[in-house]
Amino acid sequence: MMLIRRRTYRAIIQRGEAHRLAAISASRTVAAMVRNADRRSAGMAPRLARALRACARYRMALAASERRNAQLQRRLDDALGLNSDAVAAGSLWQERRADRPYGAKP
């Protein structure tokens, strides 16, 4: 049997009590953090839903704008006669012509 001094015994008991209180405090802190995280995430759900709806609206507006731009480009090509077969054939000729200048443009 090993004997210890009363002072050592009290120091060990105090240290154990300090550890026990620290563990209780830590568990309360973690529980509070979990409760707060649940509250924050519950508050974030409507904000996230609004952001997703806004994103969907913006994407739909962008797609509509791109469709309008493509339609206007087609109308411009029609008005200028750029979508004819002769123009399409000319573009191929431009790519293959023998006298095509190479180098810097003037």
Side-chain angles (χ1 to χ4, degrees):
M1 183 165 138
M2 200 166 149
L3 299 175
I4 59 171
R5 296 186 189 124
R6 284 185 189 172
R7 187 175 66 205
T8 306
Y9 176 75
R10 287 185 188 127
I12 291 171
I13 294 298
Q14 285 176 350
R15 226 179 312 159
E17 183 66 15
H19 286 294
R20 186 180 74 78
L21 292 176
I24 290 171
S25 175
S27 67
R28 287 179 181 164
T29 301
V30 168
M33 290 172 67
V34 167
R35 281 192 307 273
N36 289 338
D38 287 344
R39 285 186 202 130
R40 275 191 227 124
S41 65
M44 293 297 285
R47 291 176 68 188
L48 178 61
R50 273 195 317 269
L52 289 174
R53 283 192 305 268
C55 182
R57 279 194 314 270
Y58 297 147
R59 289 177 61 90
M60 287 175 25
L62 176 65
S65 175
E66 287 175 348
R67 283 191 304 271
R68 278 192 306 272
N69 291 342
Q71 181 186 13
L72 289 173
Q73 185 65 48
R74 283 191 304 271
R75 288 178 61 192
L76 178 65
D77 289 348
D78 288 342
L80 297 176
L82 296 177
N83 56 358
S84 67
D85 293 335
V87 172
S91 68
L92 296 176
W93 173 79
Q94 290 289 332
E95 291 296 320
R96 296 182 307 208
R97 70 180 195 179
D99 65 334
R100 183 174 174 193
Y102 295 98
K105 294 182 178 180

